[in-house]
Amino acid sequence: MQIGDDQQDVQHSIPDLDNVNIKLGDDEKKVNQMSSNTVSQVQQPQQVAIPIVEMPPKTADPQFLSQLFHCLFKGLAMFAFFIPEGLLNLTYCFIIVVILSAIDFWTVKNITGRKLVGLRWWSEVKDDGSEEWIYESQVANFVPNPFNSNIFWFAQFGVVITWGILILLDLIGLRWFNAVLAMTAFCLTGINFLQFYKCRGEHQKKAKEYMTKIGLKAIQQW
């Protein structure tokens, strides 16, 4: 009887293994939770304020139809100018060249200049009789398509130079009629080129002011 009592006391002194496992499990959960919180705090990136810079709008797609008409009337006027006198009367030649040059002047001023390079100019007469030149352009951050821009400026500059050379050659050769006709075409194309060049300068000034404001804004945000 005494031995049995001793065995019961020993059994009561042994801890319950199930309860020990449960307690250890709870402790492991707490440790895992604390470690996961620590890792998440370490891995969380710091929020850095990144300055927002407005990018230029997408460049306009190549305007093939505008490119065609931009060069078409210039070429036709030049072609009519070189038609021999035996095939075309001088009077008719003068009328055709002037009409084609006038059509080219209007087309470039109102359509192709706006389509290809985003520029447009015109003049207004004020109440006091003075004339005011107005230069219109796209938004400051507008970037024209490089191919459109090259076609526009190359054709405008090329035709002005060509008419100027023809004037000199006709004056040297004492061909007064051809010289007057070349001067008429030169004036029409030259006025267009000069005004678009001034309009381009105004747009570049506007673009520089815009980029300066964007740079200052980015520095302030940084």
Side-chain angles (χ1 to χ4, degrees), residues 91-107:
T91 303
Y92 292 150
C93 178
F94 188 92
I95 295 173
I96 292 174
V97 172
V98 171
I99 290 176
L100 290 174
S101 298
I103 294 174
D104 176 71
F105 177 87
W106 184 89
T107 302

Side-chain angles (χ1 to χ4, degrees), residues 40-55:
S40 63
Q41 292 176 359
V42 173
Q43 293 180 351
Q44 185 177 4
Q46 297 181 354
Q47 296 181 355
V48 180
I50 300 175
I52 301 175
V53 179
E54 298 182 10
M55 298 300 293

Side-chain angles (χ1 to χ4, degrees), residues 15-30:
D16 191 355
L17 296 178
D18 294 337
N19 295 331
V20 172
N21 292 333
I22 293 172
K23 291 180 180 179
L24 289 175
D26 294 338
D27 293 337
E28 289 176 355
K29 290 179 181 179
K30 292 179 180 179

Side-chain angles (χ1 to χ4, degrees), residues 131-143:
E131 188 176 13
E132 180 183 8
W133 298 92
I134 301 174
Y135 303 102
E136 182 184 55
S137 63
Q138 292 281 1
V139 292
N141 58 344
F142 172 79
V143 179

Side-chain angles (χ1 to χ4, degrees), residues 104-200:
D104 176 71
F105 177 87
W106 184 89
T107 302
V108 174
K109 178 178 176 293
N110 297 287
I111 299 177
T112 60
R114 179 171 49 87
K115 292 285 187 180
L116 298 180
V117 291
L119 303 176
R120 185 168 174 259
W121 67 271
W122 69 93
S123 61
E124 291 182 355
V125 179
K126 297 183 178 180
D127 296 335
D128 57 358
S130 62
E131 188 176 13
E132 180 183 8
W133 298 92
I134 301 174
Y135 303 102
E136 182 184 55
S137 63
Q138 292 281 1
V139 292
N141 58 344
F142 172 79
V143 179
N145 184 284
F147 189 67
N148 291 340
S149 181
N150 291 335
I151 289 292
F152 179 85
W153 292 111
F154 179 79
Q156 283 298 116
F157 182 74
V159 74
V160 171
I161 293 297
T162 303
W163 285 121
I165 294 174
L166 290 175
I167 292 172
L168 293 177
L169 294 177
D170 291 332
L171 290 176
I172 293 172
L174 302 179
R175 294 184 292 269
W176 307 113
F177 182 87
N178 290 343
V180 172
L181 180 56
M183 286 180 185
T184 304
F186 175 83
C187 290
L188 290 173
T189 55
I191 291 174
N192 238 349
F193 175 77
L194 179 61
Q195 297 302 327
F196 271 108
Y197 186 78
K198 291 182 179 180
C199 191
R200 179 171 175 251

